[in-house]
Amino acid sequence: MSMISLIKSREILDSRGNPTIEVDVTVNNHKYTAAVPSGASTGTHEALELRDQNSKRYGGKGVLKAVNNVEKKLAPLLIGKVNCIQQKKIDDLMLKADGTSNKSKLGANAILGVSLACARAGAGESGKELYQYVHSLLPTKTNSKISLPRPFFNVINGGMHAGNSLPFQEFMISPQAKTFREALRIGAEVYHTLKGIIAKKYGKLATNVGDEGGFAPPIRTAEEGLELLIKAINKSGYSGKVDIAMDCAASEFYKNGSYYAPKKMTSGQLVNYYLKLLKKYPIISIEDPFEQEDFQSYAKLRKRSEKSGIQIVGDDLTVTNVDRIKTAIQEKSCNCLLLKVNQIGTLTEALQAVALAYSAGWKVMVSHRSGETEDTFIADLAVGIGCGMIKSGAPCRGERTAKYNRLLRIEEELNK
Ligand code: PGA
Ligand code: ZN
C-alpha cells in the first residue's frame, strides 16, 4: 500500500521574490515535493490565492496561513487514509473540506501544493515518470498521445510583466522544428539576435529582462514589437521557419468600456486592428485579445479570422474552469484553452478542463505563471496530456529554462 504518511509545507520564494508555498508528501519513506506558481495579470475568476495580508511580513504577501491550512486542515484528511495513487479521491476530499466555489476557505495555493505533490508521489510509487502518470489520469476518451510540445518563447515582455509602456503583455516566437531540442536551439538563437538588435536600437539598458525573461524595450505599439521579432528571425536565418504568437492580456488595458492599445479603441476597432496585424505578420496564435467578460468579441475575432486558421486562446477568459470553458464553447469564443493548474487549484479539475476542451475540438496550451519556481511539473503535464504546446517564457532565467531543460530530458528518454 502506498499510504500517505506525512505532509509538510513551507513558505519559499518565487521568481519575483514573493512568497509562495511548497508541499512535501511522504509515502513509504520517499518524499515528493511540489511548489505553486503565482500570476501578476490574474483573471478575476481564478481560484483564490490565499495570502496572509499581514503587512509586517513580505508586504502582506506571506503564505503562512496557506502553510498552516496544509498541515492542520488538509494533512489530517489524507494521512493514513488515502493511497497516493488515488488522485481524484485526494482532490475530492480537499474540495469538500474547502466547500467554496473558488477555494477561498483553505486557499487554492494550499490545495494545489498538496494535489501536485500527491501526483508526484503517485508517479513515483507506481514506478512511472510523471508525464506517464499524468497521461494515465486523463479520461480515456480524450485519445491524446504522450508527445513533446512545441515551445512558445515569450521574448518581448510588456503589460504587467515589464516596466515599459507596451500595453500588450507577451510577444512569443515558436520555431517550426522536428524536435524539441531543435526548437529550443532556434528559439535561443533568435533570442540572442533580438538582444543585439534591441541593444543597437535602444541601448544596452533596454536588454534588461522582464518577469518571464523577455526583453522590455521602450516601445509602445504591437507593430514595434512585431517588427523587432521579424528582424531577429530574419537576421538569424530562420525567415518563414519561426511563427509568432501574442498574449494581449487585454483586461489589463481595458478601462470603462475602452481599450488603450495604446490608442483608445472600442472592441470593434480592436477586432479590426488584430485582423490588420494578422494580415501583416506571421501570427498563429492570439491569447486574451479582449477583456475577461467579453465572450462575444472573442467570438467575432474567431469567426472573422477563421480562414487564416489562427488560434484564439482563452486564459483570463476561461481560467481553467469548466464552467467558464463551457460558456466559451457555447459562445464560440475560442479554439484553444490556456491551461494553468493554479487558476483552478487541483490537478483533477485541470485534467477535466483539458478533457472538455478536447471534446469541443479545441487545442490546449500548457502555461507557466509570471511568478514561477524551479518546479518543472508543467513540462510533464504538457507531455502527459499530449497537447502539443507549452509557453514557459523566454529561453532565459532559471525558473523558465528549468521547464525547457526538463523537456529536453523527456525527449531524450522517449527516443531511447
Ligand atoms: P500571469 O501571466 O502569470 O501574470 O497571469 C501569464 C499569462 O497571462 O499568460
Ligand atoms: Zn495570458
Side-chain angles (χ1 to χ4, degrees):
M1 273 299 261
S2 300
M3 280 290 177
I4 294 170
S5 58
L6 187 68
I7 297 182
K8 248 200 80 53
S9 180
R10 68 187 63 81
E11 193 178 53
I12 61 166
L13 287 186
D14 74 10
S15 57
R16 271 193 282 256
N18 291 324
T20 188
I21 186 166
E22 182 171 81
V23 175
D24 302 335
V25 165
T26 302
V27 179
N28 293 331
N29 287 324
H30 304 134
K31 191 163 81 181
Y32 300 95
T33 304
V36 175
S38 173
S41 63
T42 46
T44 39
H45 300 281
E46 292 191 23
L48 182 110
E49 180 181 70
L50 185 63
R51 298 221 175 252
D52 297 341
Q53 313 299 345
N54 168 4
S55 56
K56 295 210 176 91
R57 294 188 73 252
Y58 287 120
K61 289 189 170 149
V63 292
L64 294 182
K65 283 183 187 164
V67 165
N68 190 62
N69 286 348
V70 169
E71 296 189 343
K72 301 277 155 41
K73 308 263 170 63
L74 297 172
L77 295 176
L78 307 174
I79 291 174
K81 296 191 175 119
V82 283
N83 190 314
C84 66
I85 58 167
Q86 293 173 296
Q87 187 71 35
K88 182 157 189 327
K89 186 169 175 192
I90 291 166
D91 289 343
D92 284 349
L93 279 170
M94 293 195 287
L95 283 184
K96 204 164 150 223
D98 179 82
T100 67
S101 60
N102 65 347
K103 301 182 178 67
S104 52
K105 187 170 164 204
L106 300 175
N109 43 352
I111 294 172
L112 184 67
V114 177
S115 183
L116 298 184
C118 284
R120 274 224 164 86
E125 295 304 306
S126 44
K128 286 183 177 155
E129 286 289 334
L130 182 57
Y131 60 86
Q132 292 170 325
Y133 185 69
V134 166
H135 189 75
S136 74
L137 295 177
L138 263 183
T140 43
K141 59 179 188 300
T142 49
N143 272 336
S144 69
K145 291 200 175 68
I146 284 179
S147 59
L148 265 292
R150 172 181 185 176
F152 287 72
F153 302 109
N154 178 10
V155 293
I156 294 182
N157 293 185
M160 297 282 283
H161 297 168
N164 58 9
S165 311
L166 180 63
F168 298 94
Q169 184 178 277
E170 302 173 16
F171 291 81
M172 292 170 270
I173 51 170
S174 183
Q176 302 162 12
K178 286 205 180 68
T179 60
F180 178 80
R181 186 187 171 82
E182 196 186 337
L184 186 61
R185 177 180 57 77
I186 294 171
E189 287 175 14
V190 175
Y191 178 75
H192 288 289
T193 309
L194 178 65
K195 184 173 184 176
I197 292 170
I198 290 174
K200 207 164 157 207
K201 190 156 181 195
Y202 302 102
K204 263 195 164 173
L205 252 186
T207 60
N208 290 340
V209 299
D211 288 352
E212 297 190 348
F215 305 112
I219 57 176
R220 298 189 69 223
T221 67
E223 285 91 336
E224 288 173 284
L226 292 164
E227 289 296 335
L228 285 171
L229 293 192
I230 297 292
K231 253 194 212 134
I233 292 166
N234 292 346
K235 196 169 174 206
S236 311
Y238 295 113
S239 88
K241 295 197 183 97
V242 176
D243 297 311
I244 293 176
M246 284 174 70
D247 178 6
C248 309
S251 291
E252 305 295 341
F253 57 87
Y254 174 79
K255 222 174 148 191
N256 302 329
S258 297
Y259 291 94
Y260 296 84
K263 229 177 73 191
K264 186 174 175 181
M265 288 189 220
T266 62
S267 57
Q269 287 167 329
L270 193 54
V271 170
N272 290 330
Y273 178 64
Y274 288 133
L275 290 171
K276 210 173 77 190
L277 293 181
L278 292 179
K279 244 192 200 151
K280 190 158 176 212
Y281 300 101
I283 298 172
I284 58 165
S285 181
I286 295 195
E287 180 183 327
D288 280 349
F290 303 96
E291 61 96 12
Q292 59 206 324
E293 309 300 344
D294 192 357
F295 287 90
Q296 289 79 21
S297 291
Y298 277 76
K300 265 185 214 150
L301 179 64
R302 197 201 54 77
K303 190 154 198 310
R304 291 185 59 193
S305 61
E306 206 159 29
K307 267 197 224 122
S308 62
I310 183 101
Q311 183 167 277
I312 307 292
V313 187
D315 171 18
D316 290 349
L317 183 80
T318 38
V319 291
T320 316
N321 177 314
V322 163
D323 293 330
R324 304 272 306 175
I325 298 166
K326 277 184 189 155
T327 307
I329 292 171
Q330 250 163 22
E331 300 278 341
K332 300 191 165 59
S333 304
C334 312
N335 50 26
C336 180
L337 172 73
L338 197 78
L339 187 75
K340 290 171 166 168
V341 276
N342 83 318
Q343 282 182 325
I344 191 66
T346 63
L347 180 60
T348 301
E349 289 167 290
L351 295 179
Q352 283 163 353
V354 171
L356 176 62
Y358 283 166
S359 74
W362 287 21
K363 300 225 165 85
V364 174
M365 183 190 285
V366 165
S367 172
H368 64 158
R369 297 308 304 243
S370 51
E372 265 296 336
T373 71
E374 310 84 80
D375 193 324
T376 58
F377 197 104
I378 61 163
D380 287 72
L381 179 65
V383 174
I385 65 168
C387 64
M389 293 182 282
I390 190 168
K391 67 165 192 174
S392 180
C396 169
R397 292 186 60 133
E399 74 283 2
R400 314 293 148 186
T401 54
K403 281 69 164 175
Y404 295 134
N405 289 338
R406 167 72 182 146
L407 287 166
L408 282 177
R409 294 181 200 109
I410 296 176
E411 184 168 67
E412 201 177 286
E413 199 174 283
L414 290 177
N415 287 337
K416 257 199 284 199

